[in-house]
Amino acid sequence: AQSVTQPDIHITVSEGASLELRCNYSYGATPYLFWYVQSPGQGLQLLLKYFSGDTLVQGIKGFEAEFKRSQSSFNLRKPSVHWSDAAEYFCAVAPYNQGGKLIFGQGTELSVKP
Amino acid sequence: EAGVTQFPSHSVIEKGQTVTLRCDPISGHDNLYWYRRVMGKEIKFLLHFVKESKQDESGMPNNRFLAERTGGTYSTLKVQPAELEDSGVYFCASSQGGLYNEQFFGPGTRLTVL
């Protein structure tokens, strides 16, 4: 069955520190991959997506993600975290030929220490 | 341009009652998706409309859930009768063009069934 795993339920980092959020997927082929962020009271916002090509993808707000086929991973990174990055982050896949529906991981809650 | 809106933002009902959730997608977006997040779990796909047609309702939990999209504009999701396990946050998302284009999410409706 297709699935997405985000191993870390909650992460706390200091402001200015680097960040890496992990995401692994289980799927028979390379799916379309996404990272979304949800701030309190807001809808989910797309940070970045990977369809094909360069495996290092740049997104909004200074985020990037790297697709590693051999590890079935799509980890999200940011070199220096800002207090405003505190939010919940969701990794998602859209399996090919399934209407664009998204399969989400459990989410990772990010807290930022001053 | 207005984003995806959902109404109500919160709903508290008793078991056995009926509730109707509404989603207004971004104007011109043909694709409309419903998702649900039960507390502590991942966000799960419910169904997908293209204009007024249901393309995929494989995620609908059971026949107590009925979704409609009148004239290909706004959509409603009715739960009748509501059960305790229906509690959660219901998200609506819309997208235009291709199936793997960015889905824009509403802020969600938090449903509590007592």
Side-chain angles (χ1 to χ4, degrees), chain A residues 43 51 88 97 99-100 102 106, chain B residues 33 35 37 48 100 102-103 106:
Chain A
F51 286 1
E88 191 162 18
N97 209 25
L102 297 173
Q106 298 93 325
Chain B
Y33 301 84
Y35 296 88
R37 189 182 195 191
H48 170 211
Y100 305 104
E102 178 179 357
Q103 293 183 25

Side-chain angles (χ1 to χ4, degrees), chain B residues 42-76:
Chain B
E42 68 273 23
I43 300 169
K44 285 195 171 180
F45 166 82
L46 296 178
L47 86 159
H48 170 211
F49 284 98
V50 176
K51 297 184 180 179
E52 67 276 7
S53 300
K54 291 177 188 175
Q55 290 295 113
D56 180 357
E57 49 186 333
S58 62
M60 295 287 262
N62 50 61
N63 59 11
R64 295 186 293 104
F65 288 75
L66 175 65
E68 295 180 323
R69 189 178 183 191
T70 306
T73 56
Y74 71 92
S75 175
T76 57

Side-chain angles (χ1 to χ4, degrees), chain A residues 32 34-37 43-49 51 92-95 98-104, chain B residues 4 26 29 31-35 43-49 91-106:
Chain A
Y32 300 106
F34 304 81
W35 274 98
Y36 280 85
V37 61
L44 280 73
Q45 180 184 21
L46 181 67
L47 285 175
L48 47 77
K49 62 186 178 185
F51 286 1
V93 303
Q98 291 194 27
K101 71 180 181 186
L102 297 173
I103 298 174
F104 285 91
Chain B
V4 177
I26 293 173
H29 282 196
N31 294 301
L32 188 148
Y33 301 84
W34 283 98
Y35 296 88
I43 300 169
K44 285 195 171 180
F45 166 82
L46 296 178
L47 86 159
H48 170 211
F49 284 98
F91 293 101
C92 174
S94 70
S95 70
Q96 65 177 355
L99 293 174
Y100 305 104
N101 288 345
E102 178 179 357
Q103 293 183 25
F104 293 84
F105 281 76

Side-chain angles (χ1 to χ4, degrees), chain A residues 1 10 25 43 48 58 62 66 68 73 78 80 83 95 101 108:
Chain A
H10 191 194
Y25 65 90
L48 47 77
Q58 301 298 320
E66 185 171 14
K68 292 186 177 180
S73 69
K78 186 169 184 177
S80 176
W83 63 267
K101 71 180 181 186
T108 298

Side-chain angles (χ1 to χ4, degrees), chain A residues 3-5 23-27 29-31 33 67 69 72-73 93:
Chain A
S3 65
V4 178
T5 301
C23 172
N24 292 91
Y25 65 90
S26 172
Y27 184 59
T30 300
L33 296 158
F67 168 62
R69 184 190 307 273
S72 296
S73 69
V93 303

